[in-house]
Amino acid sequence: MYEHLCSMEFGVVDVEGGDDFELELEELVAEDLVDLDIKDSILHFMYAAYQTSKRKERANMLYRYFVSWDVMENTRLEEMFIVGPEELNGISAFMEEWISYLKNKDGDLAARLLTEACIYQGGVDRLVEIARSVSKRHPVLYKNACECLLSEAAFSECEKVGLEAIRLLPKKLVVRGQIADLAAKAAIQLENRETMKECYEAAFYAESTLSHYLRLFELPAYGEITKQAAMFVGTLPENTETPYHERNNEQLRMNTASKELKKGIRFFNQEFDEMMNVCKKDKTELGWSSHFKGVMVPLFVLVLNKNNQLATAGNKLLDNIAIRLRYKDEEKSFTERFLFWKEKVIITDEQFEKYSSWLQKEIDKRTEAVVGGGYRHSYYKPAVLIAAFGEAIESNGDVNGKAKLIEHYKKVHSRKRAFKAEFNDLN
């Protein structure tokens, strides 16, 4: 009865549009057309199937149910054990069969169910044991084990398991980088600098994000490490779309890097002249939000600022850069990472003159295109850039440089009251 109920289609009529179509039970619930606890119904269905099926068929049948319904995405098999009127028999023996079955199934769903089964049967120790035997098919089990150990403050064991995984899994496997992050957290708690160094490097080579790159500057011998890392990221493929055969199997995703990230890391590797020349070839004055010049010009403005803190305009630029370069980090903000990196950068007077002269021209063209073109809703964009550039000029010894620069642009566009008003919030 449950099987018929969950698989049958129901006729539905759209009273406004007059169209009629057919929906399955789960779709009816999703559209709020019926009031039903679909998850509870499916759990009862699975309970009945467990009770009435032959033992050798159970694992395959129950797994098929997990695959079939979206509502099962956050459902644990254990919930089925307590839903029916009678206690289920042979649960322990079935769970061992369930583990054996899942070890040979591909995909993130199988890995999630396998993790839960291992924890149910023997805790983290069993999870680590199974992780070793299925590392090629289900490397995420190592990550799940490290998360459990870290949550239990078992730092030594987390570090040990994490290092085992790092040294076992392929260098460019993204989940390896996530495991390295967890092991690094444990190493920090244990004050183990060598392990932290190994984990930071492993994390970058497996998952080359901006936060992982900037974090390398915290290492004692960061100079050569960051140069090698910047060279490596240039070799990564740029296609970030997951191949069809890897969908629903994120645990096997390999490292990639977008064009923007590669250029961004080259900037942070202090390849300033090269990046300036790349920008010079781009004649774009509008549409910076989709061109890399919209990231690179603000980065140059900020690196010229000698202050160890940034004002409102500078922080607004940083916020936008973080979004464009997809910066994510639970530990430190992009502002913190950027300012820490900037302390290690020395801009000579000659460099300042060269870069500021080029930036002045770019800002002139940008402002004329946006403000002169009457794009009122974008007036704030050149205003923020101008204010931040003025702060950089001022930090290099030009007293009142910011005020003078702002006044200059106000005079150039004296009839644009909305543009001039944008500077009020940037003082």
Side-chain angles (χ1 to χ4, degrees), residues 11 15 17 46 66 72 87 98 104 118 151 166 180 216 222 260 273 280 282 294 331 387-388 397 426:
V15 293
M46 294 173 66
F66 271 100
M72 302 302 288
E87 183 178 347
W98 185 234
N104 295 303
C118 290
S151 68
I166 289 169
L216 295 176
Y222 69 86
E260 282 203 343
D273 285 352
K280 284 182 176 180
D282 185 349
E331 298 175 7
L426 299 174

Side-chain angles (χ1 to χ4, degrees), residues 44-54 58 61-62 65:
H44 275 87
F45 176 17
M46 294 173 66
Y47 171 88
Y50 182 100
Q51 289 282 50
T52 58
S53 64
K54 294 180 180 180
R58 284 175 181 164
M61 180 175 56
L62 292 174
Y65 297 155

